[in-house]
Amino acid sequence: MDSRRPPLAPACPTLPEYVRHWAETTPDRRAFTFVEHPAPHSRGVHRTLTWHRLDVRVRALAARLADEAGPGDRVALLCPQGTEYVAAFLAALSAGLVAVPLYTPGLPGHADRLAGVLADARPSVVVTTSRTRAEVRDFLGSCRPRIVVADEVPDDAGRDWQPVAPDPGAPAYLQYTSGSTRAPAGVEISHGNVVANARQALAAYGLDTRPMTSVGWLPLYHDMGLVLSVAAPVARGALSVLMDPAAFLHEPVRWLRLLAAHPHAVSAAPNFAYDYCVATVTADRKEGLRLDRVTALINGSEPVRPGTADRFHAAFADQGLPPGTHCPSYGLAEATVFVCAARPGEPFSRFALDRDALAAGKALPARPDDPRAVLLAGCGTPAGQRVRVADPVSRVPLPEGEVGEIWVQGPNVGRGYWNMDSEEVFGAEFADAAAGPGRWLRTGDLGTVLEGQLVVTGRLKDLIIVDGRNHYPQDVEASAQEAHQAVRRDRLAAFAVPGPAGGECAVVVAEHARTAHLAEADVAALVRAVRGAVSARHGLRLADVVVVPPGTVPRTSSGKVSRALTRARYLEGAYGGQVRAGAAV
């Protein structure tokens, strides 16, 4: 029998020990289901591992990996999304190796990043599948590490293998950052870090004491995908239902159908995904769709847009989507992933703030209908960790309502960056130790606390400073994309470049919508609309607005726009736009 309610979870020190516990106590319960969509209109083919079958596969792969590598060696996972990925990740941990969650070389636009990460991580072994073996071999070349093909390792390979008992403080895996503001860096996540963060996330969303089914399409190499779709279900003994990110992008209603098909569904997606569902899921696709059993929909984007939550809930209210399911959240790879979250069932917290005061570091209320107001979501409170807002220069904690850098302290904070000096980021201390004793993680994110909730305002490194005034790029981007219907939503980047007089000036590079053809569109009118909107709302004169085809603005491996890479390409002249001395072009 597959009871919907798992037994209470024990306090195991590592994820592999949880797998063994569930395999012994609930062997026939479903653990992981991967839903494959082999044809454009496929409703999905389900492939499931019970806890017993998962344990068998983990033991077999762990035994093979232990034959190929020594303790502490890195194992790169170049597998497609699926149960083989899950088993390979847990097997690396079981064997006392350090997993490096990555992706296959065929992921469009990310070959250079993959090559750079492999050069940095220096894995002894690469795990892939028979379906992707050829492309992995071609990508790695002749001087490649050893390759293990996960689905070709027989079950009996682990029959006599005895698992190691890794130190909870030892590295379990390297979580490479997405690279939205700099080159990717590998965060060393210990066994204790990932177990702590899984339990923190479960507690934050109220899933530690009630049934849950994780339903996810986020890639497993992404920090949120790995924790929500693997670590948290393993720690809870709950079912995790996976699908490929491409399957969601091709037909987003597939995600909604899986949410409807599984009771107590919990899922996470970036902000754009909710807007994408609103725009593409038609009335006929909604027919028969029931979302009344959804527990929580996590939105951890940069930023979480209140309007997106409103549009999504309005679009699917007739399908029974309960109010209070949208949970704005905040996290980062350096803290494993989860830091703060709004709780399911609570009203969506939104704050209208004065834009000029916010740029000056003060969160002052404004009328929501004021065109110069900034609308931000409250990201709730932490669970099992401490969060403070500090002045990034003086290292003094700031009171509620003042904007500063978000600092985090807790058992989920990673060990540091692999192969890098990490003290400045992971070993921060307050100027007055009594204000917050111990070492803190400096996130590089800006935020404030309002009504007891964390409100994230932007990235410290992304701030655009022109004529002594601060401008948040995501705020400028929001104004630009609302200025003209031909600007593609969430596919644009605002950033600062050196100005002609030694200061900085602002630039926007924006993709045009797929429905707009530049040969037919009035590009000059689009540019004027963007300039006018940004000038009116921000008092900011754009030095350049560049309109580019869809797919041109680079994105990180987690799907976020990479402002850093867009800026670098702009300065190299890749987009053809140039800043002229003191004059807008």
Side-chain angles (χ1 to χ4, degrees):
M1 294 295 290
D2 187 5
S3 167
R4 293 293 183 184
R5 182 182 296 276
L8 292 178
C12 296
T14 70
L15 292 180
E17 288 173 87
Y18 275 109
V19 172
R20 291 193 288 274
H21 168 79
W22 299 122
E24 291 170 0
T25 58
T26 59
D28 297 327
R29 285 179 53 81
R30 292 177 295 167
F32 287 89
T33 294
F34 179 65
V35 183
E36 190 172 9
H37 296 85
H41 300 294
S42 168
R43 301 283 291 197
V45 178
H46 292 59
R47 307 184 191 280
T48 296
L49 292 179
T50 64
W51 288 106
H52 169 70
R53 282 294 302 156
L54 176 63
D55 185 51
V56 168
R57 294 307 301 154
V58 168
R59 290 175 62 85
L61 283 168
R64 177 60 58 85
L65 292 175
D67 288 341
E68 301 287 349
D73 283 358
R74 273 78 58 209
V75 176
L77 308 181
L78 272 62
C79 302
Q81 191 101 330
T83 55
E84 292 93 352
Y85 200 117
V86 175
F89 172 75
L90 294 168
L93 274 57
S94 295
L97 306 174
V98 180
V100 186
L102 292 169
Y103 41 86
T104 60
L107 186 66
H110 294 287
D112 289 345
R113 179 185 184 274
L114 180 59
V117 169
L118 289 172
D120 183 67
R122 303 191 303 275
S124 300
V125 180
V126 167
V127 181
T128 190
T129 65
S130 55
R131 181 156 60 98
T132 53
R133 169 173 41 197
E135 69 177 87
V136 167
R137 279 181 171 168
D138 290 345
F139 182 81
L140 294 175
S142 57
C143 299
R144 57 178 177 258
R146 294 179 291 280
I147 296 177
V148 170
V149 182
D151 52 322
E152 294 183 356
V153 176
D155 288 351
D156 60 7
R159 180 176 300 165
D160 300 321
W161 182 76
Q162 293 300 317
V164 300
D167 178 355
Y173 61 99
L174 301 182
Q175 180 65 64
Y176 275 83
T177 59
S178 61
S180 57
T181 59
R182 62 176 179 188
V187 184
E188 289 189 15
I189 303 297
S190 73
H191 292 273
N193 291 152
V194 66
V195 168
N197 204 229
R199 295 175 71 91
Q200 288 167 337
L202 290 168
Y205 300 113
L207 307 173
D208 52 344
T209 57
R210 62 181 175 181
M212 66 166 283
T213 303
S214 175
V215 176
W217 57 265
L218 291 179
L220 297 181
Y221 56 79
H222 183 257
D223 49 9
M224 176 59 88
L226 190 63
V227 170
L228 189 68
S229 292
V230 180
V234 166
R236 184 70 182 95
L239 172 64
S240 178
V241 181
L242 304 168
M243 62 182 286
D244 193 281
F248 165 77
L249 294 173
H250 290 156
E251 200 169 342
V253 73
R254 291 167 170 166
W255 175 46
L256 303 180
R257 287 173 182 156
L258 288 181
L259 289 171
H262 294 89
H264 316 294
V266 178
S267 193
N271 201 87
F272 89 84
Y274 296 102
D275 275 327
Y276 187 43
C277 288
V278 172
T280 59
V281 179
T282 57
D284 61 311
R285 295 295 179 90
K286 294 178 184 178
E287 186 139 0
L289 189 67
R290 296 302 305 170
L291 299 173
D292 51 307
R293 298 188 296 175
V294 174
T295 295
L297 294 173
I298 300 164
N299 186 333
S301 293
E302 302 173 5
V304 178
R305 301 187 191 279
T308 295
D310 294 340
R311 287 189 291 271
F312 186 83
H313 280 268
F316 297 101
D318 289 344
Q319 282 64 54
L321 184 67
T325 55
H326 213 90
C327 300
S329 304
Y330 166 71
L332 68 164
E334 287 81 352
T336 306
V337 65
F338 167 80
V339 173
C340 282
R343 275 47 174 176
E346 296 181 356
F348 190 101
S349 294
R350 64 195 71 217
F351 299 92
L353 303 177
D354 181 271
R355 177 175 285 108
D356 292 334
L358 194 64
K362 303 285 185 183
L364 299 181
R367 294 194 322 274
D369 59 349
D370 187 336
R372 294 183 60 81
V374 179
L375 299 179
L376 297 175
C379 290
T381 56
Q385 53 193 302
R386 302 178 69 195
V387 175
R388 301 291 294 273
V389 174
D391 185 297
V393 177
S394 67
R395 295 180 292 118
V396 171
L398 297 175
E400 184 165 318
E402 293 197 21
V403 177
E405 185 181 18
I406 300 168
W407 287 23
V408 178
Q409 184 185 72
N412 55 301
V413 173
R415 293 162 42 101
Y417 294 122
W418 160 257
N419 226 13
M420 290 174 58
D421 181 4
S422 310
E423 189 65 17
E424 183 179 347
V425 174
F426 289 85
E429 296 181 356
F430 284 103
D432 179 1
R439 294 157 57 86
W440 292 74
L441 167 67
R442 296 188 61 164
T443 68
D445 292 317
L446 293 170
T448 187
V449 175
L450 294 173
E451 299 177 11
Q453 294 204 44
L454 180 69
V455 178
V456 182
T457 60
R459 288 283 298 174
L460 188 58
K461 290 184 178 179
D462 278 348
L463 271 182
I464 299 171
I465 306 174
V466 177
D467 297 330
R469 292 187 64 212
N470 294 340
H471 302 274
Y472 292 100
Q474 69 272 19
D475 197 15
V476 174
E477 291 158 5
S479 298
Q481 72 182 15
E482 297 294 341
H484 198 286
Q485 62 183 5
V487 178
R488 192 179 181 198
R489 297 188 67 86
D490 297 320
R491 292 295 184 266
L492 68 166
F495 49 86
V497 297
E504 288 191 331
C505 54
V507 169
V508 168
V509 175
E511 294 182 8
H512 65 77
R514 292 190 181 277
T515 54
H517 299 283
L518 288 190
E520 304 168 2
D522 188 344
V523 178
L526 185 157
V527 170
R528 285 196 301 272
V530 169
R531 288 190 189 283
V534 172
S535 176
R537 296 191 68 184
H538 305 272
L540 177 64
R541 183 166 173 263
L542 294 176
D544 202 0
V545 177
V546 184
V547 183
V548 297
T552 306
V553 173
R555 289 183 286 162
T556 68
S557 60
S558 60
K560 295 181 288 188
V561 165
S562 175
R563 297 188 186 103
L565 188 52
T566 307
R567 179 180 184 274
R569 291 184 180 177
Y570 175 86
L571 292 174
E572 292 167 356
Y575 302 120
Q578 298 295 329
V579 180
R580 303 204 184 111
V585 292

